[in-house]
Amino acid sequence: MKKIVIVLMVLGSFLGCQDRQTSKEVELITAEEMDSLVELGKVQLIDVRTPEEYAEGHIYGAVNINFLDDNFEELIEQVDKSKPVAVYCGKGGRSAKCASYMKKAGFTKIYDLNGGITEWKYKGKDLVQ
């Protein structure tokens, strides 16, 4: 029941206001909201941790683009700016910096997982290795 309510809330935010779709603001989201977005296939999911951290476990469907990599900006530029994107890291610091860069780079909708993968695991969400 809880999952249905969350899905309906997420859908409502997508359908309720067209201006939000084109907003270049970063939206902090909970693990539950991220889970719903991923399940619905509504976002491009990016893990900005190191490859070693990514290999220890990541959210299903996430692409690893290391924020600390020298060519980080080039790699991020290859992501489709017109589609919603969700980013996460370990606790939220790197993903916040990544989201800020993406906002300046012209991405239309950016979600940032509040608390990162640490919060995801705390909420009992599954990881892929």
Side-chain angles (χ1 to χ4, degrees):
M1 180 67 179
K2 216 182 224 186
K3 205 171 218 179
I4 292 171
V5 171
I6 292 170
V7 169
L8 290 175
M9 287 175 25
V10 170
L11 283 174
S13 70
F14 281 115
L15 301 174
C17 181
Q18 286 294 63
D19 288 341
R20 287 186 68 179
Q21 286 291 329
T22 59
S23 170
K24 291 184 181 175
E25 295 302 313
V26 176
E27 185 175 340
L28 274 177
I29 59 174
T30 65
E32 291 80 9
E33 290 169 322
M34 174 77 91
D35 197 16
S36 294
L37 289 171
V38 171
E39 272 189 30
L40 294 170
K42 295 286 184 182
V43 293
Q44 303 170 92
L45 186 57
I46 300 173
D47 182 326
V48 297
R49 300 175 301 150
T50 65
E52 294 79 20
E53 292 172 304
Y54 179 84
E56 290 174 4
H58 55 275
I59 299 173
Y60 178 79
V63 174
N64 184 220
I65 300 178
N66 182 5
F67 181 75
L68 303 175
D69 203 339
D70 289 339
N71 65 342
F72 166 77
E73 291 179 4
E74 292 172 27
L75 295 170
I76 284 294
E77 288 294 331
Q78 295 175 14
V79 177
D80 188 344
K81 293 180 183 182
S82 68
K83 295 180 182 174
V85 64
V87 296
Y88 70 92
C89 63
K91 294 183 180 175
R94 289 173 282 182
S95 63
K97 291 174 186 174
C98 174
S100 178
Y101 171 78
M102 294 173 95
K103 179 180 171 183
K104 291 175 191 168
F107 282 79
T108 57
K109 185 62 185 172
I110 308 156
Y111 298 99
D112 185 2
L113 177 57
N114 193 17
I117 198 92
T118 301
E119 182 68 12
W120 182 267
K121 290 190 284 191
Y122 176 76
K123 295 291 185 175
K125 304 292 182 186
D126 292 330
L127 294 178
V128 178
Q129 291 188 350

